[in-house]
Amino acid sequence: MKHRKHWLLYLYPQAWRARYGEEFLALLEACPFSLWTLWDVCLGAVDAHLHLESVTGRMFPLMNRLRTTAVIVFCAYIGFVVAGLAFGKMVEYDDFTDLLDSTTSVAVSYWALYAGAFAALLAVLVGGLPLAVAVARSAIAAKRWRLLALFAVPPLSLAVWIGSGALLLWLTPGDFLSRPILQRILVGGLFFGLFGLAAIASAAAVCIVVIRSQISEKLFRFARIPAIITTLAMIVMFAATLVYGIAARAADPQLFAEDEGLLASNTTLTWLVILALMAVATAVAIAALIRGRAPDAPAAAMPTIAGQPAT
């Protein structure tokens, strides 16, 4: 079993493997292999790559746990926003707005979704703005202009996406939904793909800025509260989207059998894909918060895996 798990060691940086490799393999051998174990190991590998400089005595100090939690919850939130925007685009058509006016359960779940969205956005701003100010002050004081320039990535990515979308509309005039399915998939896939790339680039830039900056532990402790609120809001939004789909399908079964989804795809399929993306993003945020909990006592050199004690 130890040899079958040996490949997991190579998820970690070489410097980490040189210091903790034998202990890590012994810990893997001592615990049963499960999906939770695999998740814990993968998250630990991300943490090791983010904080390689901390391989000096204890592997997961509280500062690194708090920083990793903030970064992962932020990335999960961005992924959830992408799925939420897709849902918003799907339900903007007349058939869905008619249901909103005629079915109470659809209306309640719809507005619950929007309430959760505003709560999550507010929490991200409350938790993120102090970090952004601290990063900017630190970069300016140290004259790290390249690091400061990464703040320009999100607006530039948005501008590039908007420009690309305008170009695609110019190249495909007329009624887009009346075009052949392959053309819709190609153009629509390019449009949403560029949006996804813009979101990834923006999130990556923000994460790099946070990781490479000197920020006080106090700010990361404070950011944990908005991270919890954001995650709770994501849970509410996921539940609201689930209830919305069930209620709308019950009120108008024909609508969910038609092609009223994104790019004129099947409505039920689009809704299920959006739900799956929301579920993954929410699960990542929850797992990051759970793993980010740390006692005030110093952490051991090796983390626990799936409830097993460190060696």
Side-chain angles (χ1 to χ4, degrees):
M1 180 62 70
K2 179 177 179 179
H3 295 292
R4 286 198 300 234
K5 300 176 183 177
H6 188 273
W7 65 272
L8 293 171
L9 180 62
Y10 292 94
L11 297 175
Y12 289 77
Q14 183 176 1
W16 192 96
R17 298 199 304 268
R19 182 160 191 147
Y20 297 108
E22 290 300 321
E23 297 174 69
F24 178 76
L25 290 176
L27 184 59
L28 281 178
E29 186 179 15
C31 68
F33 191 76
S34 65
L35 290 177
W36 180 254
T37 301
L38 180 61
W39 165 254
D40 198 60
V41 168
C42 291
L43 201 58
V46 172
D47 190 89
H49 281 282
L50 292 180
H51 314 305
L52 185 58
E53 73 280 358
S54 67
V55 185
T56 56
R58 57 177 191 169
M59 186 54 209
F60 297 101
L62 178 58
M63 176 68 171
N64 285 347
R65 284 184 176 271
L66 294 172
R67 183 166 59 176
T68 301
T69 297
V71 167
I72 294 178
V73 171
F74 172 74
C75 291
Y77 168 73
I78 294 300
F80 197 101
V81 167
V82 172
L85 290 174
F87 179 77
K89 181 64 178 176
M90 183 184 77
V91 300
E92 69 179 11
Y93 299 113
D94 293 340
D95 291 338
F96 289 99
T97 56
D98 291 342
L99 282 177
L100 190 62
D101 296 331
S102 62
T103 309
T104 302
S105 55
V106 171
V108 170
S109 58
Y110 179 84
W111 293 115
L113 174 63
Y114 267 81
F118 281 113
L121 177 60
L122 182 60
V124 169
L125 291 176
V126 169
L129 286 178
L131 292 175
V133 171
V135 167
R137 291 178 60 183
S138 174
I140 293 173
K143 297 182 179 181
R144 301 177 68 184
W145 309 120
R146 291 184 179 180
L147 189 64
L148 195 62
L150 289 174
F151 278 113
V153 172
L156 286 177
S157 298
L158 179 61
V160 170
W161 176 66
I162 292 175
S164 301
L167 179 61
L168 288 174
L169 289 176
W170 180 74
L171 292 175
T172 56
D175 186 8
F176 176 75
L177 296 180
S178 64
R179 295 179 177 275
I181 181 64
L182 290 179
Q183 187 175 358
R184 295 203 307 267
I185 293 175
L186 178 62
V187 176
L190 184 59
F191 179 77
F192 289 108
L194 289 173
F195 178 77
L197 289 176
I200 292 172
S202 300
V206 172
C207 293
I208 291 172
V209 167
V210 172
I211 291 165
R212 295 184 179 179
S213 300
Q214 297 297 323
I215 304 175
S216 69
E217 182 179 308
K218 182 179 179 180
L219 282 177
F220 282 115
R221 283 181 178 271
F222 170 75
R224 180 173 172 79
I225 298 175
I228 293 173
I229 296 174
T230 300
T231 304
L232 291 175
M234 290 166 63
I235 295 173
V236 170
M237 288 187 284
F238 170 76
T241 305
L242 176 62
V243 172
Y244 179 98
I246 295 174
R249 184 182 178 89
D252 189 354
Q254 184 61 31
L255 175 61
F256 272 72
E258 296 174 347
D259 295 332
E260 295 289 343
L262 297 179
L263 304 178
S265 59
N266 180 264
T267 308
T268 300
L269 179 61
T270 299
W271 172 62
L272 290 175
V273 170
I274 291 172
L275 269 180
L277 293 176
M278 288 182 171
V280 170
T282 304
V284 169
I286 292 172
L289 286 175
I290 293 173
R291 196 175 188 280
R293 291 186 304 174
D296 292 333
M302 286 291 297
T304 59
I305 296 180
Q308 294 295 320
T311 56

